[in-house]
Amino acid sequence: MRRAVALLAAALLLAGVAGCGGSGAEPGAPKGATVVLDFVPNAVHTGIYAAQAQGFYEDAGVDLHVQVPGESTDAPKLLAARRTDFAILDITDLGLADEKGLELVGLMPIVQTPLAAILARKDGPVKRPADLDGHSVGVTGLPSDTAVVRSEVAGDGGDPDGVDEITIGFNAVASLAAGKVDAATGFWNAEAVEAERQGVPLHVFKVDEYGAPRYPELILTTTRKELEAEPELVEAVVDATRKGYEFTESQPQKALADLLAANASLERADQEAQLKVLLPELEPKPFDEAVLKEWSAWASEHELLPRPADVTKTFDLGN
């Protein structure tokens, strides 16, 4: 009797597996996937939310869940542990993940240029990066800030060793407005836009204008295992995401509405101002291997990476 019951159970199990296509999903149903953002939703993510709202992921057979990172979220480790399928990573974090043996792969650029900059009040003593020699600059405390400061000052002919770095956390606009520092590191698409909206006139010195190459800042990333095991899913997500950013380029107001509809706490005026300055850099072009090699050399020179990255391994140059 027990043998008969076991055989019946096995038959039912096999029938169930066959009926679900072996994946637990109905035949033809979208395949579920998750992407973890690099930060709270903002204008730089507009193409992703537009792709969701306009049905580009659904058309590609993907049911994409967008996950907002928590304070302690370590996206590279979530990817490596296969607790998410995709993530938006800063290019330096991607390079460091390779050094740690996490075997992550950059799939496509989200933004085509560095977002880091040095911000200085127009009524202050810093008129160009070289002027920071002998003056103070506020930094968050992250190593990347020091790399930006030293690269810009040296690239403009100044002495980086003469700069007084003061840790201010993520309070660039308030510190500049109060005159606590002569300049501060920040993002030209965020803090610089916020300062302008608050009536704080600034000089904005972008890192790629003073010493750094024009590298892509944010990267849609997956694992090597995911790329090899689910090539169709990866291709579908990349294609749909690219369509989302193409839609953002051609219809920015509709794309902005998609971002705001999915994130009710965002203020329209803030995100509209950010998207306006970002639009020229959201063009979803493929990777440029030569640019990636320039970034790798620059990041290594400024100790963001212990050694230059193998860009042919770290990035899927076919996208």
Side-chain angles (χ1 to χ4, degrees), residues 36-53:
V36 175
L37 301 182
D38 59 297
F39 194 60
V40 296
N42 61 81
V44 79
H45 305 123
T46 303
I48 295 171
Y49 285 99
Q52 269 195 322

Side-chain angles (χ1 to χ4, degrees), residues 24-265:
E26 293 297 327
K31 187 170 181 64
T34 299
V35 60
V36 175
L37 301 182
D38 59 297
F39 194 60
V40 296
N42 61 81
V44 79
H45 305 123
T46 303
I48 295 171
Y49 285 99
Q52 269 195 322
Q54 300 301 320
F56 299 148
Y57 291 118
E58 184 179 1
D59 292 345
V62 180
D63 179 14
L64 188 71
H65 171 66
V66 180
Q67 181 177 329
V68 178
E71 289 184 5
S72 61
T73 295
D74 188 336
K77 289 183 179 178
L78 291 178
L79 279 169
R82 305 201 76 172
R83 292 173 60 190
T84 185
D85 305 285
F86 304 92
I88 308 301
L89 297 185
D90 180 275
I91 191 171
T92 303
D93 290 336
L94 176 55
L96 289 172
D98 182 59
E99 288 293 330
K100 297 174 183 177
L102 297 183
E103 296 192 339
L104 306 186
V105 182
L107 299 172
M108 65 169 281
I110 295 296
V111 61
Q112 295 286 348
T113 189
L115 300 176
I118 293 174
L119 315 176
R121 288 185 63 115
K122 284 189 175 179
D123 58 0
V126 178
K127 307 301 182 185
R128 53 187 302 154
D131 294 339
L132 280 170
D133 184 357
H135 291 95
S136 63
V137 58
V139 296
T140 63
L142 296 173
S144 55
D145 283 9
T146 296
V148 167
V149 171
R150 295 188 68 85
S151 179
E152 290 210 31
V153 174
D156 196 36
D159 180 8
D161 292 332
V163 180
D164 180 20
E165 287 192 12
I166 299 174
T167 301
I168 59 173
F170 297 88
N171 296 299
V173 176
S175 297
L176 287 167
K180 293 181 179 179
V181 289
D182 297 315
T185 55
F187 295 120
W188 55 259
N189 63 304
E191 284 89 350
V193 172
E194 179 186 348
E196 181 179 352
R197 285 175 46 75
Q198 291 187 17
V200 181
L202 295 179
H203 293 296
V204 179
F205 310 120
K206 297 181 180 180
V207 68
D208 56 313
E209 295 175 347
Y210 296 93
R214 192 176 184 274
Y215 59 84
E217 174 94 11
L218 299 175
I219 310 292
L220 176 64
T221 305
T222 191
T223 63
R224 176 70 58 187
K225 288 181 180 178
E226 186 81 13
L227 182 59
E228 293 174 350
E230 299 280 1
E232 293 182 355
L233 172 64
V234 172
E235 182 178 1
V237 169
V238 170
D239 288 347
T241 303
R242 184 165 282 133
K243 286 181 180 178
Y245 281 95
E246 289 171 349
F247 180 85
T248 301
E249 280 188 295
S250 62
Q251 301 190 56
Q253 289 303 314
K254 287 186 178 179
L256 178 64
D258 293 336
L259 170 71
L260 298 174
N263 301 279
S265 63

